[in-house]
Amino acid sequence: TLAKPLGIVLEERDGGGVRFDSFQEGGAAAEQAAALDIAPGDRLLAVEGVDVSRRGFDAVMDLLDDGLDTLDITPNLAKSLSADDADLTVRAAVRETRRIVGASGDQQASLGSLLRVEIVPGAGVRPDGRCLVRFFGIFTTDGGASTYSCNLSATGRRREDGSTEILALSAAKDEGWGQTIDLRRDAGS
């Protein structure tokens, strides 16, 4: 549960609703960032039980401002990909990509922001239980005015609590980039 000031930056989504963009330095969320399961791109679904998934930015901000002293943020967020869009390893890889790239100025300059997953061409499970996935992500370096595709590869492993841990993650830009960026290396491979 976060007390005001929440310390999160929200931005309006096309088609209504808002999404989490970043933490504000010194806010309650930044102080608890490690414990919160939120990443840039996650959508705010509800405020105090009120569905805000399609409301405009100003209406959502009004709800957050109106007498709200605290907000339990994590249960009120939807991950930017639905369960139908990708399996758990792809969703975990997307979240990890957004976390790593969002926290690194160099990665942000190289890759930009991951907007969405376009296609998942393959996945497989190794005998040791690790799941390998390859998918195309759509990125932007200019806020969405132009986009490019990037081939992402991830290795994940299911934790006992049902979540997925990303062990390795790399990105290769398709348009003649000629470089692969290792966002996370698997120490066990």
Side-chain angles (χ1 to χ4, degrees), residues 25-135:
E25 193 173 318
E31 294 171 9
Q32 298 179 37
L36 294 173
D37 183 25
I38 63 176
D42 288 351
R43 294 179 292 132
L44 185 61
L45 293 180
V47 174
E48 295 295 303
V50 176
D51 180 357
V52 297
S53 62
R54 298 209 180 272
R55 291 195 181 200
F57 182 82
D58 292 335
V60 174
M61 296 310 291
D62 287 345
L63 279 171
L64 288 170
D65 287 338
D66 287 346
L68 183 67
D69 293 323
T70 62
L71 177 64
D72 192 1
I73 191 77
T74 306
N76 292 307
L77 288 171
K79 307 313 171 204
S80 57
L81 295 176
S82 71
D84 295 334
D85 290 330
D87 68 10
L88 291 174
T89 304
V90 172
R91 288 187 285 141
V94 166
R95 292 179 54 74
E96 194 65 16
T97 299
R98 287 182 171 144
R99 281 184 214 254
I100 292 170
V101 172
S104 166
D106 290 343
Q107 302 291 3
Q108 184 69 36
S110 296
L111 290 172
S113 299
L114 175 59
L115 299 176
R116 66 185 179 278
V117 168
E118 197 70 45
I119 188 170
V120 181
V125 179
R126 288 189 172 166
D128 65 359
R130 291 186 295 164
C131 182
L132 292 87
V133 295
R134 198 173 288 276
F135 58 98

Side-chain angles (χ1 to χ4, degrees), residues 78 104 140 150 188:
S104 166
T140 184
C150 191

Side-chain angles (χ1 to χ4, degrees), residues 152-164:
L152 292 132
S153 298
T155 302
R157 179 176 27 230
R158 200 70 188 256
R159 295 182 179 132
E160 286 184 18
D161 66 358
S163 64
T164 301

